[in-house]
Amino acid sequence: MNIMKAAVLKSFGTPLVIENAPEPVLGTGEVIVDVVTTRVLSYMNEVFSGERNYALDLPIIPGPGGIGRVRAIGPDATKLKIGDWVFCDPTVRSRDDAIAPDIALQGLTAAGAGGMLLQKHFRHGSFAEQMRVPTENVKRLGAITSEEAAQWCALGTLLVPYGGLLAANLQAGETVLVSGATGNFGSAAVSVALAMGAACVVTPGRNETILADLVRRFGSRVKPVKLTGNEDDDREAMKRAAPGPIDCVFDIMPPSVSPTVVRAAVMTVRAYGRVVLMGGVGMAGGAGLELPYPWIMRNCITIHGVWMYPPDAASRLIALVRSGLLRLDEYKTTAFDLDHVNEAVAHAAANGGPFRLTVIRP
């Protein structure tokens, strides 16, 4: 049996353990990838402590997705070649129900009983020298260098808001409001919306330094709004910041945020507008989001809950990067080797702001 180095979570609340693990064995419908670099989510410490109550069958090699090179391919792969640079998409879907597939996030969590069944097989993630990935989750990047691989890890962050904006059917020339714009995923949503052709992105938040930085990075299409905490006043301020009606509201606020802050943003949307909910309101207990039934009905508001993104999103996002419309060099990366994985987790938690990436190079 061949072995590799991996970081293993053996129990919640304990550090990751670096040890030798069996190399993954290739099966039909699968690809083995040599992991070159993988991102560390800013809240991984909360996952590993058990605070987030993520569904993980321990012990497990964690790590959602990554950048690497194809090591071995199965008989159903017709485009991939050994040595190809690829992005490993962690969103694993069951193959026996195309309409409503079960989903597991490889190396991170799973949804429901079906997702846990998926996790039993595609359980181990990218905090290792190799990983086994479903063939359809391996996305070709084209030629890159090993040094560039760290910035390409930003795909994992950018894909989440991209999925929401695709669900919202965001069109070029529209105005979108990003609720949670000063966070890691929210700032990614701003850059993705602009890359998709949004004429204007309204960016509410409390941190004026980050709001000013968004304008510095992306220019006058970004319209910052300093929130006061008064729901009615904030709603009107967000509306005034937009040059016209707000076509789409995208929310990606974390669990710690009050639902009233989210409601203030959601209810800025125009009649016949679209709202996408991708955040964490209510996930840590407390009140959920209340919206007036008459307002939704009479204004023909579309509300779309979105978890992750469609299967073709990664390839489409890679094309946006390759075209120059979406820039990965906005991201500042800090790299750790696998032996220092626990330091990497701590660093990610302390440095989880906009356009920051903590990565591991196994």
Side-chain angles (χ1 to χ4, degrees):
M1 180 177 66
N2 294 326
I3 59 173
M4 64 176 181
K5 184 189 287 187
V8 181
L9 180 66
K10 298 198 170 185
S11 61
F12 291 114
T14 62
L16 295 169
V17 177
I18 306 301
E19 63 183 29
N20 289 327
E23 288 186 354
V25 178
L26 184 70
T28 301
E30 299 170 357
V31 174
I32 306 295
V33 174
D34 286 321
V35 181
V36 175
T37 183
T38 178
R39 70 187 172 128
V40 184
L41 299 171
S42 61
Y43 56 85
M44 283 299 246
N45 61 323
E46 297 175 15
V47 175
F48 299 155
S49 71
E51 181 182 345
R52 287 227 170 193
N53 292 319
Y54 273 24
L56 283 173
D57 186 16
L58 304 181
I60 196 170
I61 300 170
I67 305 297
R69 305 193 77 167
V70 173
R71 182 184 184 91
I73 54 177
D76 62 335
T78 62
K79 301 288 197 304
L80 291 169
K81 294 180 176 59
I82 306 300
D84 279 353
W85 281 99
V86 293
F87 167 70
C88 299
D89 180 354
T91 309
V92 179
R93 297 169 177 85
S94 58
R95 292 163 169 163
D96 52 355
D97 187 347
I99 295 173
D102 288 304
I103 291 179
L105 300 185
Q106 189 172 2
L108 187 63
T109 190
M116 291 302 289
L117 281 175
L118 275 179
Q119 191 185 88
K120 284 185 181 301
H121 185 65
F122 292 110
R123 62 188 292 105
H124 295 309
S126 52
F127 288 10
E129 292 177 324
Q130 298 175 31
M131 65 185 299
R132 178 181 58 194
V133 188
T135 304
E136 65 271 24
N137 286 52
V138 179
K139 315 293 185 178
R140 292 179 298 164
L141 295 175
I144 67 170
T145 66
S146 180
E147 290 71 29
E148 291 170 329
Q151 281 192 330
W152 278 96
C153 281
L155 287 177
T157 301
L158 294 159
L159 267 169
V160 174
Y162 186 50
L165 294 168
L166 287 175
N169 194 29
L170 178 64
Q171 301 295 305
E174 288 191 321
T175 293
V176 59
L177 183 146
V178 175
S179 173
T182 57
N184 191 252
F185 284 104
S187 58
V190 175
S191 62
V192 171
L194 293 170
M196 293 172 71
C200 169
V201 181
V202 179
T203 57
R206 294 177 182 271
N207 190 318
E208 290 182 277
T209 302
I210 295 177
L211 292 175
D213 184 62
L214 289 170
V215 176
R216 180 189 65 79
R217 288 175 187 270
F218 300 115
S220 60
R221 291 159 72 196
V222 174
K223 306 296 182 186
V225 179
K226 175 69 163 65
L227 296 176
T228 66
N230 180 290
E231 183 177 349
D232 293 334
D233 290 349
D234 286 343
R235 183 181 299 114
E236 292 309 309
M238 287 183 267
K239 286 183 177 180
R240 286 195 304 271
I246 293 171
D247 301 292
C248 167
V249 171
F250 172 85
D251 177 81
I252 196 153
M253 284 289 199
S256 58
V257 170
S258 165
T260 59
V261 177
V262 177
R263 183 170 60 209
V266 165
M267 294 185 68
T268 64
V269 77
R270 63 167 171 82
Y272 299 89
R274 295 98 67 200
V275 175
V276 168
L277 303 178
M278 288 194 88
V281 167
M283 286 185 179
L289 177 63
E290 291 187 7
L291 293 171
Y293 189 113
W295 173 77
I296 297 170
M297 181 268 292
R298 289 174 182 160
N299 290 291
C300 302
I301 305 298
T302 299
I303 299 176
H304 199 140
V306 182
W307 193 41
M308 305 307 283
Y309 39 83
D312 65 342
S315 297
R316 294 168 68 176
L317 192 71
I318 291 165
L320 273 180
V321 174
R322 288 299 190 186
S323 73
L325 290 167
L326 186 61
R327 290 175 48 192
L328 299 181
D329 60 5
E330 297 288 348
Y331 283 85
K332 178 185 176 183
T333 62
T334 305
F336 293 79
D337 60 27
L338 194 56
D339 288 329
H340 293 87
V341 64
N342 291 301
E343 289 89 336
V345 171
H347 182 272
N351 296 274
F355 306 108
R356 290 183 176 181
L357 269 178
T358 301
V359 302
I360 293 168
R361 288 184 169 273

